[in-house]
Amino acid sequence: MPHRLAAALAAAGLVTAIAATPASAAPDRHGDKTLGRLAADTHRYFGSATDNPEFSDTAYLGILGSEFNSTTAGNALKWYATEPQQGVFDFTQGDQVLDFARRHHMSFRAHTLVWHNQLPDWLNNGTFTADELRAILKKHITTVAGYYKGKVYSWDVVNEAFNEDGTYRDTIFYRTLGPGYIADALRWAHQADPHAKLYLNDYNIEAIGPKSDAYYNLVKSLKAQHVPIDGVGFQGHLALQYGYPETLQQNLRRFADLGLDVAVTELDIRMYLPADATKLATQADWYARVTKACLAVRRCVGITVWDYTDKYSWIPAVFQGEGAALPYDENLQPKPAYAAIRDALRSAGGH
Ligand code: XIL
């Protein structure tokens, strides 16, 4: 059922829920195309992150598997999940998400190999020499990326390496190994899975500024040294109160002009609660603008929302008093943002 129609019927009290849309990102029986199908028409993906606890929610999975043509595991591939004890690897959660993606013909963005958050205690609390930590990092990357070799579209190899002012973030990796850990991580990931697209990924780099400049300079120098790097991921955790990142399109383009892919990897647009019609309209406009910015840059390969429904958004737990950040509400009903994204994709695809 087209979501507009369903929403209208729901508003009229005629139906209470949208039936799960048909499998694979194909036009549904009323001829409306899904976000995934519309993005595919422009040779891009429109994806949603997901997380393992959500796999018991069949209505949720119905929309995830039909509306989107890419997914990212929100937590399953983080270090604490994949190597909970030193040298003991666990891929059960990652496999659950990957299997779902494969069954629904969705591409899979793997997230993430090197990050300072959600590390296992043994790593956080340990004291390691540079040689020891280098060996630990190499083994982690080689084992995890090796296990998923040939099965993932891309890896976020290093996540959130810079501070807001463009200096290197003081993490266990930077502190112990120096800035060269980034090039090493990319090289090891490439050896483990030569066909995966390798990304650096961060937040607050949507606009041109000190932090995105730091990435620009880093990837330029990595390219000059022939370090394997394929793309930069712009997380896109936006908030209405901070204003729209006006230079997003220009910024995506300057990275693309370095010969890189770019992607919006964790898009959500939060607001102070309660939501109201005005805020939801502004949010919808921003979703459309981000979508159009990506569509305007040939090497912008796709957009991923950081889950698709407010039911499972990470925002309320982390940003007090904020939420309503995603294109579907807590009852899995599309919000104005959904139609705005769809219309933006449609106009680009020549529909
Ligand atoms: C978030 C997850 O969505 C939450 O479930 C978890 O509790 C914390 O991490 N930037 C990232 C993501 O790169 O990995 C984060 O995901 C959100 C911010």
Side-chain angles (χ1 to χ4, degrees):
M1 175 182 301
H3 291 310
R4 267 171 316 171
L5 176 58
L9 293 174
L14 295 173
V15 293
T16 51
I18 291 184
T21 39
S24 92
D28 75 11
R29 63 186 180 281
H30 295 272
D32 261 13
K33 290 188 175 181
T34 63
L35 301 185
R37 184 65 238 170
L38 290 167
D41 288 348
T42 79
H43 308 289
R44 291 177 177 80
Y45 59 82
F46 200 96
S48 171
T50 189
D51 205 2
N52 302 76
E54 299 156 27
F55 275 63
S56 58
D57 185 337
T58 50
Y60 165 85
L61 288 180
I63 295 173
L64 180 71
S66 58
E67 191 68 47
F68 302 94
N69 63 343
S70 173
T71 192
T72 305
N75 286 302
L77 293 179
K78 291 174 180 174
W79 200 316
Y80 80 101
T82 53
E83 194 182 359
Q85 290 156 46
Q86 187 168 0
V88 180
F89 291 85
D90 184 349
F91 300 112
T92 47
Q93 302 212 75
D95 284 350
Q96 187 180 27
V97 183
L98 180 65
D99 289 349
F100 182 88
R102 300 182 96 178
R103 277 189 278 116
H104 294 85
H105 311 291
M106 304 161 90
S107 71
F108 188 86
R109 296 194 80 263
H111 172 84
T112 174
L113 291 168
V114 190
W115 190 32
H116 61 282
N117 274 335
Q118 294 179 277
L119 291 173
D121 289 344
W122 66 264
L123 183 51
N124 258 335
N125 303 335
T127 29
F128 304 104
T129 65
D131 282 350
E132 286 167 348
L133 188 62
R134 235 179 101 79
I136 287 168
L137 188 60
K138 183 174 183 183
K139 181 170 183 179
H140 182 76
I141 292 172
T142 303
T143 307
V144 178
Y147 180 86
Y148 287 106
K149 179 183 175 183
K151 297 180 177 168
V152 306
Y153 167 72
S154 63
W155 266 108
D156 290 337
V157 177
V158 181
N159 195 33
E160 303 180 353
F162 285 108
N163 295 313
E164 296 305 297
D165 65 0
T167 57
Y168 282 100
R169 188 189 284 272
D170 182 29
T171 68
I172 181 174
F173 306 108
Y174 179 74
R175 218 166 25 246
T176 316
L177 304 173
Y181 83 90
I182 296 175
D184 284 340
L186 288 161
R187 289 193 182 103
W188 293 327
H190 182 67
Q191 279 162 20
D193 188 352
H195 296 299
K197 302 276 187 197
L198 303 184
Y199 277 70
L200 303 180
N201 192 56
D202 213 325
Y203 63 92
N204 278 353
I205 58 166
E206 293 74 30
I208 293 177
K211 195 173 184 182
S212 62
D213 287 350
Y215 276 96
Y216 186 81
N217 293 328
L218 173 63
V219 295
K220 207 170 163 182
S221 105
L222 291 172
K223 291 280 274 185
Q225 298 165 70
H226 305 290
V227 176
I229 165 106
D230 299 292
V232 174
F234 300 77
Q235 290 184 7
H237 294 296
L238 307 182
L240 291 189
Q241 68 271 20
Y242 297 136
Y244 182 79
E246 298 288 343
T247 50
L248 173 62
Q249 188 174 313
Q250 193 188 337
N251 197 28
L252 294 175
R253 193 180 302 282
R254 72 169 171 156
F255 280 89
D257 286 346
L258 292 176
L260 292 162
D261 289 345
V262 292
V264 180
T265 53
E266 304 185 12
L267 183 61
D268 49 23
I269 303 173
R270 62 189 190 265
M271 59 187 69
Y272 285 114
L273 299 173
D276 60 31
T278 308
K279 291 184 213 172
L280 292 175
T282 305
Q283 179 188 55
D285 177 53
W286 287 27
Y287 269 106
R289 290 171 78 179
V290 172
T291 305
K292 287 177 187 162
C294 179
L295 292 170
V297 176
R298 194 182 55 82
R299 295 206 61 171
C300 184
V301 295
I303 297 174
T304 302
V305 288
W306 204 240
D307 227 315
Y308 71 85
T309 160
D310 294 335
K311 186 174 184 183
Y312 297 122
S313 173
W314 71 303
I315 295 291
V318 175
F319 299 91
Q320 226 197 330
E322 297 179 55
L326 292 167
Y328 288 70
D329 72 14
E330 293 186 357
N331 300 312
L332 306 182
Q333 302 299 312
K335 293 156 63 177
Y338 174 87
I341 297 165
R342 184 199 55 206
D343 293 349
L345 290 171
R346 244 188 213 157
S347 56
H351 296 271

